[in-house]
Amino acid sequence: MRKRLIQVSGFLISTLGWLFVLCTMAMDYWRITQIGGQGGSFIIKVAWYWSNLWQDCFTDSTAVTNCRDFPVLWSVKPIVQGVRGLLMCGLTLGFFGAIFCFVGMECTYIGGGGKNKDMLLFAGSVFHFVGGVSDLAAYCLYINKVARTTFTQSSPGILKYDLGPPIFIGLVGSFCILLGAILYAVTVYKVLFPKATVVLAHGGPGTRTYMASRAEDRTLYTGYYRPPRQYRSYGSGISSSSKLTRISQITPEKLSDRDAFV
């Protein structure tokens, strides 16, 4: 029950994060600045320059907006191309990650059962995590560009923009995606990567052999310890014909009757 609750929480959080990221690609005011309305100007009260990933726009005091669409892909500024590419790569990875996670969740009845679902869920969490990092890198790249223009000394004719609401919404969405990926991974990590422990398989006074435990659904194999030649006459050695013995149903809590004397 606890595992299912964590997986459903991860699904809702990651889906909400991808929805935020998807909305920011269509939103306006990625960067914005205003002019006029200061110093007793009566000609221009207030005017806004703003941009998104697809166009540059100007809005005057009468709320009339004039926009200039960005040209074709190969003539757009490299910064805009990079942000677009990272966001689209992240959305593509998130699409496949959402499918894998939905199929691999314990509360769904598709995708097989047992370890296959856990592997699908873990693969989906990796897709989510990589996609979230890609989106986060896109927003950080855009923030770096705006910050360098704002805090660098330049001529008075160059506009200095501020960050708009889509940047902050996208950052929140990226962190939601990363959080959802972590919630997915913690529910299956111990099952796919069990911690190795040491089990006493065979031993005697002064001579012991150890082996590491495997998953519970696997059969363990071990070999007898072959003592030195000088101790064979005392009956402690094992014949050379018995090289490998299969020990079935052995766990760290219960050993076979053969090893009960240890």
Side-chain angles (χ1 to χ4, degrees), residues 185-197:
V186 297
T187 59
V188 296
Y189 181 80
K190 290 184 178 180
V191 178
L192 297 178
F193 306 100
K195 185 178 179 181
T197 56

Side-chain angles (χ1 to χ4, degrees), residues 106-174:
E106 193 179 51
C107 58
T108 58
Y109 297 96
I110 55 178
K115 196 170 183 180
N116 292 332
K117 293 179 71 69
D118 293 338
M119 292 180 65
L120 284 174
L121 187 67
F122 187 78
S125 67
V126 173
F127 274 89
H128 275 305
F129 190 84
V130 176
V133 171
S134 178
D135 292 336
L136 186 62
Y139 294 116
C140 292
L141 184 63
Y142 198 89
I143 291 171
N144 180 61
K145 177 64 176 179
V146 175
R148 283 193 305 169
T149 305
T150 302
F151 296 105
T152 302
Q153 295 181 357
S154 58
S155 60
I158 298 179
L159 296 176
K160 295 184 178 182
Y161 289 88
D162 297 325
L163 298 175
I167 299 295
F168 301 100
I169 296 175
L171 290 176
V172 172
S174 299

